[in-house]
Amino acid sequence: MTDEPAPESSAHTRRTVLKSTAAAAAGTVVASHHTSVASAETAHTGGARTRVTLSVNGERHRIAIEPRVTLLDALRDRLGLTGTKKGCDRGECGACTVLADGERIKSCLTLAVMRQGAEITTVEGLTRGDDLHPVQEAFIRHDAFQCGACTPGQIMSAVACIDEGHAGSEAEIREWMSGNLCRCAAYQNIVAAVADAAEEGRR
Amino acid sequence: MRNFGYTVARTPADAVRTAAGIANSTFVAGGTDLLNLMRDGAETHDHLVDLNRLDLDDVTLDGQTLRIGALARMRGVAEHPRVRREFPVLSEALLASASPQVRNMASIGGNLSQRTRCGYFRDPGSACNKRDPGSGCPAVTGRNRGHAILGGGDHCIATHPSDLAVALTALDATVRLLGPDGARSVPIADFYLLPGTTPDRETAARPGELITRVDVPRTRVAADSRYLKLRDRATFEFAVVSVAAALRTRGRVVRDVRLAFGGIGTRPWRDTRVEAALLGRPLTEAAIGEAGRVLVRDADPRTENGFKVELVQRALASVLNELGGKR
C-alpha cells in the first residue's frame, strides 16, 4: 500500500507551474463555497471526509475525501494521475474514460467512494515498463490526434472496445467509440488506429 | 456540487430503512443521471444511499417471466442471450441508449428513474413546474422542439428520456417496489404519471420506495419485436421519436401487436386504440395509415415540435413494414 505521491519538487516544469496555479485557484473557490453553505452544512452530519481505499494501476492508495469527490477528481487532484482528462465533467465527452474491473466507465459520473474495491486502470497504467500499449502505438502510427486532450480517453475506450469485440469494422468502431468526442475531429485517424490495433491483436 | 452524506446499503431492506431515517436522502446506483442533476442544482440531496452492493443484479427467465434485477447494468441486460433472442426490443432499446461507458455503469432501476432532458428543468435559472411547482412552464411557449405532442398541458410538456421504459411499456412489464410499508407491484402503464397539474410527481413510486426488479411477461409476440429510434445524430443521442413494436401475423393478418412510443408523449406512450386499429386486419398500407392517424388524433403540437406528428406516423409505418416482412 502506498500513500499519496509526494509533490514534485525539483524541476520547475510547465506542468508544475500549471498545477500550483490550479491549486491556488481551487483553494479560493473552496473557501468561498464553505462560507456560503456553512449553515446548511452544520444542519446535518453529512459530508464529512471519509477514508477511501482506491486500487489504481495495481497500487493501493488510502485517501481521505468528501463523498462528493468524483473518481475523476480523486485521480487527478489527490493521486496526481493527470493523464485522465477533465473535459465536460458531465459524461458527454469521454475524456475521463478509465477502466473499472476491466470495463470502461466515465470517471466524472461516479463517486470515488463508490469505487472502493474496484481495480481502476488509467492511461498511466497501460504501459509495460518502457513499452507502450499496442493501442498507444497504433495512435502514434496513425497520427490519431491533434490537440491530444481527448486522447487518453480515446485510448482507454479503444482498449475496452477491442477487448469487447466491437472493433470488427469501421462502422462498428464508430458506433462503439461514440462515447468519446474529439473536438479536433480526428475521427478518421482514430478509427484507423483502433482498427489497426484490433487487427494486430488478432494476428 | 453541494456536499452530502453517504451510506452503503447491504440489503434492500437496509437501503429503504436508511433512506427513511435521513431527511432529504435519495438512492444512488450508477450515478450517471443523479450526479449531473446534483451538479446542475436541478436536484439537491443531503444524503446518498449507495445501492451498488445489493444482490439485485440477476437477470433470469423462470417459467413465463423475465426478471430483471434493478441493479443489473444496461450492458448486461442488452447482451443477455435470452433477452436478445426472446425480447429483442429490450436489447435494441438499451443498445440505442447513451454510450458504451454509461451502459457499463447505469442500472436498470436508475434508467427507469431518470429525469427529463427538458432544458428548462435542467437549468435552475429557469422556471419549471417539475423542479419548482407553481413557477410555470417556459417550454409551452418557448424552445419545445424536443417536447411532447401527447399527454401534456399548460403545466408541463417534457418527455421521459428512457428508451428502455418505452420498450417495457410495449411488453406490459411490471415494476417491483420496496418501501417502508413493504413490497408491491405496479404495472408500468400505471408507473409513469401524466403531468396534469402536478408534473413534479412523475411516477407512482412513493417517497422512499426503491425499485427492486422489473418483471416482463414472456410472450410469443415479444420474440418478434424491435426498437426504432430516430435521433438528430446517428448515435449517443436521445430520441426525437422512437417506436417499440412487437408483431405477429398469420398470412398478412395481424394476430398480435404491441406498440409504444418515445419522444412524443409526456410519459412512455401507449395507446391501445392504435393496436386495436391493426388487430385482426391485414397489414396493409391503409391499415397502417389508419393506426397512425389514431395515434396522433389527440396530438397538441407546439411552436417547434409539429414535425413529430408526421414523423411518428412514418416511423410506425417503417417498423411495422419491417416486422411484417415487407422489407
Side-chain angles (χ1 to χ4, degrees):
Chain A
M1 183 178 293
T2 59
D3 253 321
E4 291 169 59
E8 296 171 46
S9 52
S10 53
H12 213 54
T13 62
R14 174 172 167 270
R15 171 149 292 180
T16 57
V17 171
L18 288 176
K19 254 187 176 173
S20 52
T21 313
T28 316
V29 172
V30 169
S32 65
H33 181 70
H34 273 190
T35 317
S36 64
V37 297
S39 56
E41 299 277 288
T42 49
H44 53 86
T45 56
R49 283 186 176 219
T50 174
R51 301 293 291 184
V52 174
T53 302
L54 290 177
S55 185
V56 185
N57 302 330
E59 281 186 39
R60 282 156 64 87
H61 303 267
R62 199 156 162 76
I63 54 176
I65 52 169
E66 293 175 337
R68 64 175 157 180
V69 174
T70 60
L71 176 62
L72 171 62
D73 286 342
L75 290 172
R76 287 181 57 85
D77 300 344
R78 302 305 303 275
L79 304 186
L81 293 170
T82 53
T84 306
K85 300 305 180 198
K86 190 169 186 170
C88 67
D89 201 27
R90 50 186 308 112
E92 289 168 11
C93 76
C96 68
T97 301
V98 300
L99 307 184
D101 294 327
E103 292 193 343
R104 48 179 162 165
I105 63 166
K106 295 192 173 178
S107 61
C108 72
L109 288 184
T110 190
L111 301 171
V113 287
M114 288 161 59
R115 294 294 169 175
Q116 296 208 72
E119 284 294 333
I120 307 296
T121 307
T122 70
V123 71
E124 290 93 341
L126 282 187
T127 52
R128 292 286 169 267
D130 288 337
D131 295 334
L132 293 178
H133 187 280
V135 173
Q136 292 174 309
E137 298 273 17
F139 267 63
I140 293 170
R141 253 191 334 270
H142 288 271
D143 192 23
F145 38 75
Q146 282 186 43
C147 82
C150 73
T151 308
Q154 298 278 2
I155 287 173
M156 297 311 293
S157 202
V159 168
C161 179
I162 294 167
D163 188 49
E164 292 162 10
H166 290 136
S169 68
E170 178 177 330
E172 190 180 26
I173 292 168
R174 284 183 181 272
E175 168 63 31
W176 288 87
M177 288 294 292
S178 64
N180 293 79
L181 307 186
C182 171
R183 207 167 61 172
C184 307
Y187 294 110
Q188 199 63 41
N189 292 3
I190 292 170
V191 171
V194 177
D196 195 2
E199 181 63 32
E200 198 182 326
R202 283 192 286 267
R203 277 199 292 267
Chain B
M1 199 175 346
R2 215 182 77 177
N3 216 353
F4 46 80
Y6 171 84
T7 305
V8 179
R10 299 293 166 186
T11 65
D14 176 32
V16 168
R17 199 165 44 240
T18 304
I22 303 174
N24 198 25
S25 59
T26 196
F27 303 114
V28 64
T32 55
D33 192 28
L34 183 68
L35 294 190
N36 280 342
L37 290 164
M38 292 174 70
R39 275 189 186 110
D40 292 345
E43 286 191 14
T44 50
H45 301 285
D46 293 327
H47 201 93
L48 298 188
V49 179
D50 183 343
L51 307 176
N52 289 294
R53 312 279 161 168
L54 304 188
D55 185 20
L56 287 177
D57 56 358
D58 272 3
V59 179
T60 57
L61 192 54
D62 31 303
Q64 294 306 305
T65 307
L66 172 69
R67 300 180 199 281
I68 306 174
L71 268 293
R73 308 294 153 166
M74 292 172 75
R75 175 190 179 182
V77 179
E79 290 182 350
H80 194 283
R82 296 197 69 180
V83 172
R84 290 172 61 172
R85 193 166 61 243
E86 299 181 48
F87 305 86
V89 69
L90 298 182
S91 181
E92 291 177 18
L94 286 164
L95 290 177
S97 304
S99 60
Q101 291 98 318
V102 167
R103 294 197 296 268
N104 283 339
M105 306 170 75
S107 71
I108 296 304
N111 181 284
L112 298 183
S113 308
Q114 66 185 306
R115 310 295 304 276
T116 178
R117 308 306 300 184
C118 173
Y120 298 108
F121 168 77
R122 299 247 163 191
D123 168 26
S126 296
C128 172
N129 288 325
K130 242 187 214 315
R131 182 169 29 75
D132 184 13
S135 62
C137 177
V140 169
T141 53
R143 308 314 306 262
N144 50 38
R145 182 178 180 278
H147 289 68
I149 56 172
L150 288 161
D154 290 341
H155 296 276
C156 183
I157 53 170
T159 56
H160 194 274
S162 167
D163 296 295
L164 176 66
V166 175
L168 289 171
T169 297
L171 298 185
D172 292 306
T174 299
V175 180
R176 294 277 302 170
L177 298 163
L178 180 68
D181 298 326
R184 64 188 184 112
S185 297
V186 180
I188 197 159
D190 301 329
F191 183 71
Y192 293 106
L193 307 177
L194 289 171
T197 57
T198 54
D200 53 306
R201 289 197 60 226
E202 291 178 357
T203 73
R206 298 174 190 137
E209 275 188 326
L210 172 70
I211 299 177
T212 54
R213 203 173 78 206
V214 181
D215 291 346
V216 189
R218 186 174 172 216
T219 56
R220 289 184 66 187
V221 74
D224 296 316
S225 63
R226 69 154 301 188
Y227 192 72
L228 174 65
K229 181 174 179 180
L230 304 180
R231 293 171 264 194
D232 283 335
R233 58 182 177 191
T235 186
F236 191 18
E237 186 55 278
F238 293 94
V240 174
V241 161
S242 69
V243 186
L247 177 73
R248 281 188 71 79
T249 55
R250 190 175 304 141
R252 287 289 289 166
V253 177
V254 175
R255 291 298 174 198
D256 199 353
V257 62
R258 315 287 170 87
L259 297 166
F261 303 85
I264 61 165
T266 48
R267 62 180 179 185
W269 199 255
R270 180 138 182 224
D271 182 342
T272 51
R273 294 174 303 178
V274 181
E275 295 162 20
L278 293 162
L279 204 59
R281 296 180 63 185
L283 192 67
T284 60
E285 205 172 309
I288 292 171
E290 174 58 18
R293 282 189 291 280
V294 169
L295 172 65
V296 299
R297 189 187 288 155
D298 302 325
D300 181 17
R302 307 284 166 161
T303 48
E304 296 180 346
N305 63 2
F307 72 100
K308 288 187 179 182
V309 175
E310 182 173 354
L311 187 62
V312 72
Q313 294 180 78
R314 291 187 182 198
L316 173 62
S318 171
V319 74
L320 286 176
N321 281 324
E322 189 177 333
L323 277 170
K326 193 169 165 191
R327 60 178 157 166

